[in-house]
């Protein structure tokens, strides 16, 4: 019996997939089809596959050509499968010509002609209108958004806005964006969605107006400085039927959710303590060190460090204490927050003028999880136990600087292909605004 194997994502199943599977089956007697997982696709740079894996498997099954369907979830698996299943022929479409010649050491490799003029990528872009995105604020973060958005299909950056016309123009030229403007009303006319990367204190105002004009909003953190403002924005977004997301990058990185799930799986027992630290020494002339109202360590790193705490321990804390070391301007160069829950504790440490180990540690009754700096990108973490020899090491998928995941989710939500907001819920985002409000009140008291 001649065994044939082929692999694919099979997203938005189309004629090209059907033809390929038919011809693959004709190459032998028994056809094995490997369907990729979302994680594996993400690691290969395909960040907005639409159909869930069970639907993609079901579509392959319906063709009747597959004798066996397997799931492909890691690099190197093809050799494993060929050996495990005693495969005689490996086949793929001609778009992959040459890419899998290394498998000739294990079996025959056949590239079949690809069906012209159809692909999942084409279907994904014709299914939805291209989302026209505008960038508000043209400072340090905005260029990263532009670079990472190139890895997400379905959007185009149309316009740059800065109230300072010269800055807007300089940015537009440098990044070859179609239009720039210093007029916010005009800006909103060019776009369907906005990315807010302006100074912290302006996020709420820009978001509010964008939502009012039915534009989707991805806002850098902090979304707002008070709970009331944050609630208002989410309520308005839901009323206007637009997507509102706070851009806390960690929340959208694939490894972060995995750490949360491992922590909640019972592996480390009851979670008793979460410590999240994030420090970056800032230039003495930087905004962080000089902006008396909105600079400082907590506003810079508070939302990211609060994220794992809110995710793991929730928001029903019984006590919270904020302590800061300030500079001559009264800005916190280091802020430590201790939070007490009925059966657990949490600590955050944020610094722009004090350096410490930037780690995330989740301690439990049976073991603990430690994610080293930069844990906010979550490239790796360990689960450790009393027995020092027993260490489970995780290296989740992570590409680029991670922003592409957040952008991918934003576009998927706008297109309605992702209706889940478990990565960062409105309640969690509102809870962060609540912490920020308390911090700002404390800062005012100290002055
Ligand atoms: N395929 C084909 N003809 C097409 C499209 C795909 O023969 N017009 C083949 C691919 O070569 C591969 C298999 O179908 O062997 C599964 O490919 P997959 O990557 O799932 O499909 P694409 O449409 O190429 O997806 P994408 O656009 O996301 O890359």
């Amino acid at each position: 019996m001649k065994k044939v194997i082929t692999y694919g994502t099979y997203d938005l199943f189309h004629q090209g997939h059907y033809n390929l599977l038919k011809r693959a089956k004709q190459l032998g007697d028994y056809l094995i089809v490997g369907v990729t997982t979302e994680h594996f696709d993400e690691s290969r740079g395909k960040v907005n596959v639409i159909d869930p894996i069970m639907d993609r498997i079901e579509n392959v099954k319906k063709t009747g050509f597959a004798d066996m369907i397997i799931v492909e979830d890691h690099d190197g698996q093809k050799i494993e499968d060929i050996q495990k299943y005693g495969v005689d022929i490996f086949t793929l479409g001609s778009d992959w010509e040459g890419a899998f010649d290394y498998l000739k050491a294990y079996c025959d490799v056949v590239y079949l002609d690809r069906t012209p003029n159809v692909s999942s990528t084409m279907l994904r872009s014709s299914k939805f209108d291209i989302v026209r995105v505008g960038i508000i604020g043209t400072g340090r973060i905005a260029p990263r958004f532009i670079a990472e958005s190139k890895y997400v299909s379905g959007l185009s950056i149309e316009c740059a806005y800065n109230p300072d016309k010269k800055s807007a123009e300089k940015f537009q030229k440098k990044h070859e964006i179609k239009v720039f403007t210093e007029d916010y009303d005009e800006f909103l006319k060019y776009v369907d969605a906005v990315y807010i990367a302006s100074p912290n204190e302006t996020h709420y105002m820009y978001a509010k107006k964008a939502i009012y004009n039915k534009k989707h909003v991805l806002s850098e953190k902090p979304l707002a400085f008070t709970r009331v403002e944050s609630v208002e924005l989410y309520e308005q977004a839901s009323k206007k039927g637009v997507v509102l997301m706070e851009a806390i990058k960690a929340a959208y990185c694939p490894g972060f959710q995995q750490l949360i799930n491992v922590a909640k799986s019972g592996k480390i027992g009851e979670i008793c303590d979460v410590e999240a630290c994030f420090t970056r020494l800032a230039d003495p002339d930087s905004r962080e060190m000089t902006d008396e109202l909105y600079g400082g360590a907590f506003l810079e790193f508070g939302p990211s460090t609060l994220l794992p705490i809110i995710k793991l321990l929730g928001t029903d804390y019984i006590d919270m204490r904020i302590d800061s070391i300030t500079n001559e301007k009264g800005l916190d160069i280091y802020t430590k927050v201790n939070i007490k829950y009925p059966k657990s504790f949490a600590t955050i440490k944020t610094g722009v003028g004090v350096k410490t180990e930037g780690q995330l540690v989740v301690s439990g009754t049976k073991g603990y999880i430690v994610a080293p700096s930069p844990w906010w990108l979550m490239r790796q973490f360990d689960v450790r136990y009393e027995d020092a020899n027993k260490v489970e090491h995780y290296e989740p998928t992570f590409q680029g600087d991670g922003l592409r995941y957040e952008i991918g989710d934003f576009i998927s939500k706008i297109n309605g292909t992702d209706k889940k907001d478990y990565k960062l819920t409105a309640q969690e985002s509102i809870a962060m605004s609540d912490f920020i409000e308390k911090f700002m009140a404390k800062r005012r008291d100290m002055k």
Side-chain angles (χ1 to χ4, degrees), residues 260-271 364-367 385:
I260 298 296
N261 296 343
V262 168
K264 286 187 170 174
S265 72
K267 242 177 199 292
I268 60 163
E270 297 280 312
I271 300 170
T365 51
K366 293 184 184 160
Y385 301 91

Side-chain angles (χ1 to χ4, degrees), residues 9-10 14 17 46 92-93 95 114-115 118-121 124:
T9 306
Y10 306 104
H14 56 67
H17 295 143
K46 273 192 179 181
L92 268 189
D95 45 325
R114 189 178 160 89
T115 307
V118 61
S119 76
S120 304
T121 306
R124 279 193 292 265

Side-chain angles (χ1 to χ4, degrees), residues 99-302:
F100 292 96
D101 285 358
Y102 69 91
L103 295 175
K104 286 182 180 165
Y106 305 91
C107 65
D108 289 341
V109 174
V110 176
Y111 299 103
L112 293 168
D113 281 346
R114 189 178 160 89
T115 307
N117 304 324
V118 61
S119 76
S120 304
T121 306
M122 278 166 60
L123 293 175
R124 279 193 292 265
S125 47
S126 63
K127 199 170 158 89
F128 304 105
D129 292 337
I130 297 288
V131 178
R132 299 171 307 150
V133 178
I135 298 188
I136 300 171
T138 52
R140 280 180 297 173
I141 331 171
R144 275 189 258 156
F145 181 89
I146 295 177
E148 285 278 306
S149 69
K150 301 206 163 67
Y151 296 91
V152 180
S153 48
L155 82 156
S156 94
I157 296 177
E158 294 286 315
C159 188
Y161 164 81
N162 192 316
D164 172 19
K165 192 175 174 182
K166 280 210 177 91
S167 304
E169 186 174 9
K170 200 168 146 207
F171 187 84
Q172 177 249 357
K173 287 222 167 83
K174 184 162 178 212
H175 298 284
E176 296 172 355
I177 296 168
K178 288 182 200 152
V179 193
F180 75 90
T181 176
E182 77 288 8
D183 178 337
Y184 194 57
D185 291 311
E186 187 195 339
F187 165 79
L188 290 176
K189 288 186 190 142
Y190 292 114
V191 300
D192 310 305
V194 301
Y195 169 59
I196 305 178
S198 51
N200 290 343
E201 66 277 20
T202 61
H203 296 170
Y204 163 76
M205 170 188 89
Y206 285 132
K208 186 175 172 173
K209 194 154 182 189
I211 293 168
Y212 181 79
N213 284 279
K214 291 198 173 158
K215 309 294 174 188
H216 306 282
V217 173
L218 174 64
S219 169
E220 267 309 322
K221 57 200 175 309
L223 174 63
F225 279 84
T226 65
R227 165 179 272 273
V228 169
E229 286 175 351
S230 204
V231 168
E232 178 203 347
L233 291 179
Y234 280 102
E235 277 178 5
Q236 279 304 316
S238 138
K239 220 181 245 171
K240 294 276 182 184
V242 295
V243 173
L244 171 62
M245 265 172 61
E246 186 172 9
I248 299 183
K249 188 161 68 176
Y252 301 94
C253 288
F256 185 77
Q257 203 55 46
Q258 191 178 10
L259 179 141
I260 298 296
N261 296 343
V262 168
K264 286 187 170 174
S265 72
K267 242 177 199 292
I268 60 163
E270 297 280 312
I271 300 170
C272 297
D273 193 15
V274 180
E275 185 190 77
C277 310
F278 196 155
T279 65
R280 188 188 299 126
L281 291 182
D283 190 283
D285 301 324
S286 63
R287 181 186 53 75
E288 292 90 319
M289 297 294 255
T290 55
D291 181 344
E292 290 183 29
L293 282 174
Y294 301 104
F298 184 80
L299 290 184
E300 201 57 23
F301 303 124

Side-chain angles (χ1 to χ4, degrees), residues 6-21 23 33-34 36 41 44 46 48-49 56 91-97 111-124:
T6 189
Y7 295 86
T9 306
Y10 306 104
D11 190 27
L12 303 176
F13 199 88
H14 56 67
Q15 192 63 37
H17 295 143
Y18 183 89
N19 295 347
L20 192 287
L21 291 175
R23 278 178 283 147
V33 181
T36 52
D41 276 322
R44 304 188 305 148
K46 273 192 179 181
N48 40 7
V49 170
R56 292 184 282 119
T91 187
L92 268 189
S94 51
D95 45 325
W96 294 98
E97 187 82 50
Y111 299 103
L112 293 168
D113 281 346
R114 189 178 160 89
T115 307
N117 304 324
V118 61
S119 76
S120 304
T121 306
M122 278 166 60
L123 293 175
R124 279 193 292 265

Side-chain angles (χ1 to χ4, degrees), residues 238-380:
S238 138
K239 220 181 245 171
K240 294 276 182 184
V242 295
V243 173
L244 171 62
M245 265 172 61
E246 186 172 9
I248 299 183
K249 188 161 68 176
Y252 301 94
C253 288
F256 185 77
Q257 203 55 46
Q258 191 178 10
L259 179 141
I260 298 296
N261 296 343
V262 168
K264 286 187 170 174
S265 72
K267 242 177 199 292
I268 60 163
E270 297 280 312
I271 300 170
C272 297
D273 193 15
V274 180
E275 185 190 77
C277 310
F278 196 155
T279 65
R280 188 188 299 126
L281 291 182
D283 190 283
D285 301 324
S286 63
R287 181 186 53 75
E288 292 90 319
M289 297 294 255
T290 55
D291 181 344
E292 290 183 29
L293 282 174
Y294 301 104
F298 184 80
L299 290 184
E300 201 57 23
F301 303 124
S304 300
T305 44
L306 284 166
L307 177 73
I309 295 170
I310 292 174
K311 285 265 174 210
L312 291 167
L313 302 176
T315 50
D316 292 334
Y317 58 88
I318 45 180
D319 198 13
M320 196 222 342
R321 185 190 157 101
I322 306 174
D323 290 297
S324 298
I325 295 172
T326 52
N327 66 7
E328 62 289 346
K329 290 198 161 67
L331 273 175
D332 62 315
I333 56 165
Y334 185 63
T335 287
K336 197 167 169 177
V337 182
N338 287 297
I339 310 165
K340 200 168 165 217
Y341 289 85
K343 287 181 169 179
S344 53
F345 312 118
T347 306
I348 72 165
K349 293 182 198 168
T350 57
V352 290
V354 171
K355 191 70 198 159
T356 187
E357 186 64 42
Q359 61 185 7
L360 170 64
V361 183
V362 184
S363 309
T365 51
K366 293 184 184 160
Y368 67 100
I369 300 175
V370 55
S373 166
W375 61 261
W376 43 94
L377 306 181
M378 202 52 78
R379 293 197 183 107
Q380 54 169 312

